[in-house]
Amino acid sequence: MGNSIVRTDRWQLAPTPEQVKHLERTEKMYRSYARALIGVVFTHFDQIVSADSPCAATERLIHATKNNPNPRYQYLGRNFYKFPSYLRRAIIQAAIGQVSSFVTRYYRWQQGRRSKRNALPPILNAVTNLHVVLYRGQCILFEEDCVHIKVYNGREWTWEK
């Protein structure tokens, strides 16, 4: 496994009020998708984590394709129409992580491994504070003096400068 370098940049952004609304809509939609998906992942957790590709197994449950025209949970495709695939996959990974954490904590609680003797069982919280993942080239493009971010404007996904 090779070494990889992760770089974080801080940019001072000056969005217009309309662009702020688009950014807020984007984050709201992203979090709503995650909230809906966590229930699906929890329901099929054993099947998903035992699959060769947990992400692909989850997508088969929720995403219609030519080879999978009728996924079991069509709600996500109907209510998050044209949701970018790279964002969907980021949310799938986050949902799998959230459910995995809950399942681990719950099994420990069932086994009596608790911080306090009378500790209540953990709760699966589907309300997340996820932030939109900005993949370079797909969600964010850098130029010399500006940045373009893909956002949901209430009707479609567009690039905002």
Side-chain angles (χ1 to χ4, degrees), residues 41-79:
V41 171
F42 179 67
T43 301
H44 299 278
F45 186 69
D46 291 336
Q47 170 193 346
I48 289 169
V49 295
S50 64
D52 289 337
S53 171
C55 186
T58 306
E59 280 193 314
R60 277 190 297 279
L61 291 168
I62 64 169
H63 184 64
T65 64
K66 181 178 158 187
N67 294 331
N68 185 33
N70 296 306
R72 184 164 183 177
Y73 298 94
Q74 295 184 17
Y75 166 85
L76 291 156
R78 279 193 315 268
N79 290 287

Side-chain angles (χ1 to χ4, degrees), residues 75-126:
Y75 166 85
L76 291 156
R78 279 193 315 268
N79 290 287
F80 300 96
Y81 184 67
K82 296 243 181 193
F83 198 86
S85 60
Y86 40 85
L87 293 180
R88 181 179 62 247
R89 291 178 184 135
I91 292 171
I92 288 171
Q93 297 294 10
I96 291 170
Q98 183 111 350
V99 172
S100 177
S101 173
F102 164 74
V103 168
T104 299
R105 290 179 293 114
Y106 188 75
Y107 286 151
R108 284 184 182 157
W109 179 85
Q110 280 185 318
Q111 294 167 353
R113 295 165 50 195
R114 305 172 189 169
S115 58
K116 296 178 184 171
R117 183 180 215 185
N118 59 348
L120 295 174
I123 297 170
L124 177 60
N125 184 1

